[in-house]
Amino acid sequence: MFDTKKSIVQELFLPQFNKRNIQLFVKRDDLIDEFVSGNKWRKLKYNIAHTKQQKKTGILTFGGAFSNHLLATASACNAAGLRALGLVRGDELNPDSNNLLKKCAELGMQLKFISREEYHLRKEKSYHEELTFEFPNYQIVPEGGSNYYGMIGCQEILQETSNDFDHIFIAQGTTTTSAGIALGLKESCQLHVVPVLKGFDAKAEMNELFKYSGIESEMVAEILERTAVLSEYHFGGYGKYTSELLDFMEMIFKITNVPLDPVYTGKAFFALVDWVTKTNATDSKILFIHTGGIQGGKFIEQKEGRTFS
Ligand SMILES: Cc1ncc(COP(=O)(O)O)c(C=O)c1O
């Protein structure tokens, strides 16, 4: 449905990398689609296939008022001929509350605004049973597309590269994308994950997702051993940012023309550059996975009067 050929592997030239003989590449998943951008299509692809296979008529999913996942689900379901139902956190909201919700509604997504208390139940089995009873023709997909099908879709990212990198860097929210990447990791490659949430136990979350997906514990242990968590780059927590981060993103955009966002990819790219500087790394081949987020980034860009996309 969405063409992943648009997601090129692009070489970037940064002076501090060149002088250390480090080759830096970016997997540009942000180029896949305007709304179903970055890891969103990766996570939705097999969820959509599964929904059709189950002969369900639509996808029910969850998100906050500015959820890129909601918008991506609305757009992908629209293209796939499926219905979409979004359960949105905040019963004070309505489809006109912001442009993202407006766009979801325009794309045909039915929006149901629920209280924060009800939203809190979104991972509970009994709540899912209630929802299945109320909406029997809808396949439930967790917030952020964080399930087995999402992870398997993300496994395809590395398959579209030469997969001969020494290091891979990626932003982390629910861990679904990084878990998918980790599954296809070459033995000599180290995965560096950058959680954007403060106090996030990245390895425990990845472990949970692997276990839930039935992956052997030996393989899980081996994968987690090759995963390094760069936990000091959340810049205050989810959705928070500093002028240092925005300055950095503007500088990278000026040099490379690669857009970043302050919620996910900006933090991960900052961590990558800082890691190279602090470890004095040399002679290696690095891949940065661009997971998208540009729509959300544009919102902050306008608010802050900056240019990073
Ligand atoms: C732009 C962007 N990058 C990275 C992530 C983190 O991905 P994950 O939740 O799979 O860890 C997200 C969240 O889905 C995102 O929207």
Side-chain angles (χ1 to χ4, degrees):
M1 251 166 48
F2 293 89
D3 190 0
T4 61
K5 283 199 192 82
K6 289 183 188 156
S7 171
I8 52 169
V9 177
Q10 178 182 354
E11 184 163 10
L12 296 188
F13 299 95
L14 297 178
Q16 65 268 52
F17 284 54
N18 296 350
K19 67 176 184 230
R20 293 167 194 263
N21 197 25
I22 295 177
Q23 275 186 293
L24 174 63
F25 296 88
V26 183
K27 174 76 170 130
R28 298 285 311 271
D29 265 16
D30 57 307
L31 297 175
I32 292 175
D33 183 70
E34 187 183 356
F35 300 122
V36 196
S37 158
N39 54 4
K40 299 291 170 282
W41 172 237
R42 307 288 181 179
K43 291 181 182 184
L44 285 167
K45 181 178 170 185
Y46 291 109
N47 272 302
I48 285 179
H50 179 63
T51 301
K52 289 190 166 176
Q53 202 182 27
Q54 294 294 307
K55 306 242 180 308
K56 303 263 174 139
T57 53
I59 284 181
L60 180 163
T61 194
F62 310 85
F66 294 97
S67 162
N68 289 317
H69 166 70
L70 273 188
L71 180 57
T73 305
S75 182
C77 283
N78 184 293
L82 287 172
R83 291 194 177 159
L85 171 58
L87 268 53
V88 188
R89 181 177 50 225
D91 50 6
E92 75 286 4
L93 301 168
N94 65 63
D96 285 325
S97 291
N98 67 44
N99 286 340
L100 186 139
L101 294 174
K102 232 179 255 173
K103 188 74 198 168
C104 287
E106 264 170 42
L107 287 163
M109 179 178 251
Q110 187 193 339
L111 296 169
K112 189 170 185 273
F113 298 91
I114 60 175
S115 66
R116 282 165 176 74
E117 292 73 39
E118 184 174 342
Y119 197 83
H120 199 67
L121 302 173
R122 67 195 179 282
K123 291 181 185 169
E124 301 281 331
K125 200 168 166 232
S126 57
Y127 182 55
H128 281 205
E129 281 164 5
E130 274 174 40
L131 290 173
T132 305
F133 187 74
E134 195 179 344
F135 305 103
N137 292 321
Y138 283 81
Q139 185 69 36
I140 299 176
V141 173
E143 181 182 49
S146 174
N147 61 6
Y148 171 76
Y149 297 103
M151 181 176 75
I152 292 304
C154 292
Q155 196 181 355
E156 294 183 350
I157 300 174
L158 265 194
Q159 290 166 7
E160 296 171 10
T161 73
S162 54
N163 199 4
D164 59 351
F165 305 96
D166 302 303
H167 301 276
I168 294 178
F169 287 76
I170 185 164
Q172 210 178 39
T174 64
T175 78
T176 316
T177 317
S178 45
I181 296 291
L183 287 178
L185 215 57
K186 218 181 42 150
E187 256 176 45
S188 54
C189 180
Q190 182 161 41
L191 178 65
H192 302 258
V193 296
V194 184
V196 302
L197 291 104
K198 194 175 172 177
F200 185 72
D201 192 344
K203 288 203 180 183
E205 294 288 333
M206 288 173 84
N207 196 19
E208 197 60 27
L209 191 61
F210 286 136
K211 259 201 328 216
Y212 176 74
S213 306
I215 295 162
E216 286 168 19
S217 56
E218 265 176 30
M219 186 174 166
V220 171
E222 200 206 304
I223 287 173
L224 292 179
E225 206 162 289
R226 280 189 284 130
T227 303
V229 183
L230 299 174
S231 56
E232 300 305 316
Y233 298 91
H234 51 70
F235 289 86
Y238 184 77
K240 306 243 168 76
Y241 51 86
T242 63
S243 49
E244 184 192 16
L245 178 65
L246 301 186
D247 289 348
F248 171 80
M249 288 162 48
E250 282 194 327
M251 189 257 299
I252 295 297
F253 184 61
K254 230 181 238 162
I255 302 175
T256 65
N257 220 21
V258 173
L260 295 169
D261 80 287
V263 183
Y264 289 102
T265 53
K267 292 179 182 181
F269 207 89
F270 189 103
L272 156 62
V273 173
D274 209 37
W275 178 85
V276 166
T277 311
K278 285 187 175 151
T279 60
N280 265 323
T282 55
D283 307 302
S284 42
K285 199 170 172 183
I286 298 179
L287 179 70
F288 178 79
I289 307 216
H290 198 314
T291 44
I294 303 308
Q295 284 294 327
K298 283 199 183 302
F299 187 72
I300 300 170
E301 194 179 32
Q302 278 163 15
K303 190 173 144 208
E304 301 288 340
R306 301 281 198 141
T307 309
F308 41 75
S309 72

